[in-house]
Every structure is written in C-alpha cells, then in structure tokens.
C-alpha cells in the first residue's frame, strides 16, 4: 500500500499597507525589497511553497460594485476584504513556520524593514487545508450529483 502523503497546510498572512504609502509604490517595495529579504529566510526553513497575492483598490471597488449589483439585493454583509496583500506559506509541517518566525534573520532582515510600509497594528492570519474541485478545466475530488 502506498504511503499517504501529509496534506499541505496553507498559512495565509493578510497584510495592510501603511496608508502613508500609495499602492503603486507599496507594491513596488513589496516585490523589489520585501520579497528578496524574506524568501531566503523562508527557503532556509523548508517552506514548501510561497505565494504573494495583491488586492489593488481598483479591483476591490469594481468587484464590490459587481457584488452589490449581481447579488440581487441580498449582498448585505458581502464586502471585499480590505487587506492589501496576502503572503501564503504552504508547508507539510507547521514547525517550519515556527522555525522561520523564531529565526533572528526574520527580525533582523524582514521585520526591521516593515515599519512605514506594512501596518503592524492589524494583520490577519488564516491556517487550514485546501482542496481543488476544478483543475485544468476538469472536475476533480468530488462526485457530481444531479438535482
């Protein structure tokens, strides 16, 4: 019997930019300064996959308008999330994230440079697993039922 593979944990850190920075300059800083600082630290601790997801205000405004219109009046409470970026760490063992955050390089090379760029007063974190149901245009991981 094949050994069952440990599912990946998805740890998402939802960041808000410091409002003294405009979006364009903030995204440029994140890609050109922040990513090169923290990717080596994450790699050193065996993070299996790392992703960055930006949420520009223009997208949020447009899709909020879509929600308000397309939900047919039932969109009360349906709001675009206000964060500006998500860093997602995929790991087979949560200890990898703990080790990364406890590494002195994390504080010296990453956190030390966030002041004035990332709003440190509000950061949301999510952890869980993820299952895909459509991949490459095909339905997977479920049995379709007709109603």
């Amino acid at each position: 019997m094949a050994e069952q593979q440990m599912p990946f944990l998805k740890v998402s850190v939802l960041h808000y930019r410091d409002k003294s920075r405009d979006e364009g300059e903030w995204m440029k800083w994140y890609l050109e300064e922040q990513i090169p600082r923290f990717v080596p630290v994450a790699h050193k601790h065996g993070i299996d996959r790392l992703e960055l997801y930006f949420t520009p205000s223009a997208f949020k405004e447009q899709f909020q308008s879509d929600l308000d219109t397309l939900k047919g009046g039932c969109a009360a409470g349906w709001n675009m999330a206000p964060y500006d970026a998500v860093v997602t760490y995929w790991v087979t063992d949560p200890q990898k994230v703990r080790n990364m955050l406890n590494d002195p390089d994390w504080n010296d090379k990453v956190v030390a440079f966030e002041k004035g760029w990332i709003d440190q007063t509000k950061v949301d974190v999510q952890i869980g697993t993820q299952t895909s149901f459509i991949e490459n245009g095909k339905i997977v991981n479920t049995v379709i039922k007709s109603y």
Side-chain angles (χ1 to χ4, degrees):
M1 183 186 303
E3 185 177 323
Q4 188 169 3
Q5 186 177 1
M6 173 79 161
F8 277 101
L9 290 175
K10 181 179 182 179
V11 181
S12 298
V13 181
L14 290 65
H15 285 295
Y16 299 80
R17 71 183 156 84
D18 185 302
K19 294 303 179 191
S20 69
R21 307 292 182 163
D22 72 44
E23 281 185 330
E25 117 183 273
W26 188 77
M27 288 168 46
K28 183 177 184 341
W29 169 82
Y30 216 111
L31 290 169
E32 295 178 7
E33 300 293 331
Q34 186 71 343
I35 292 289
R37 279 190 194 99
F38 81 75
V39 166
V41 181
H43 186 259
K44 176 169 72 170
H45 292 286
I47 301 299
D48 297 286
R49 182 174 176 171
L50 182 102
E51 299 172 335
L52 174 63
Y53 174 73
F54 285 121
T55 61
S57 61
F59 290 177
K60 291 185 274 193
E61 290 166 9
Q62 177 60 53
F63 285 98
Q64 183 63 55
S65 176
D66 290 345
L67 281 176
D68 294 343
T69 303
L70 300 174
K71 288 295 292 171
C74 70
W78 285 61
N79 296 302
M80 297 303 296
Y83 55 84
D84 295 288
V86 179
V87 178
T88 302
Y89 304 91
W90 295 86
V91 295
T92 52
D93 180 354
Q95 190 60 44
K96 293 177 179 183
V97 175
R98 292 182 192 106
N99 292 345
M100 179 184 70
L101 295 175
N102 282 311
D103 186 326
D105 280 346
W106 186 258
N107 285 320
D108 297 343
K109 295 180 180 178
V110 180
V111 176
F113 294 92
E114 293 178 342
K115 186 173 183 173
W117 290 98
I118 294 176
D119 184 342
Q120 295 295 312
T121 66
K122 58 182 178 181
V123 176
D124 295 315
V125 180
Q126 301 173 324
I127 186 168
T129 60
Q130 181 169 311
T131 304
S132 296
F133 295 101
I134 298 177
E135 288 183 4
N136 300 317
K138 295 186 173 152
I139 297 172
V140 297
N141 300 319
T142 190
V143 175
I144 303 302
K145 295 181 180 180
S146 297
Y147 296 93

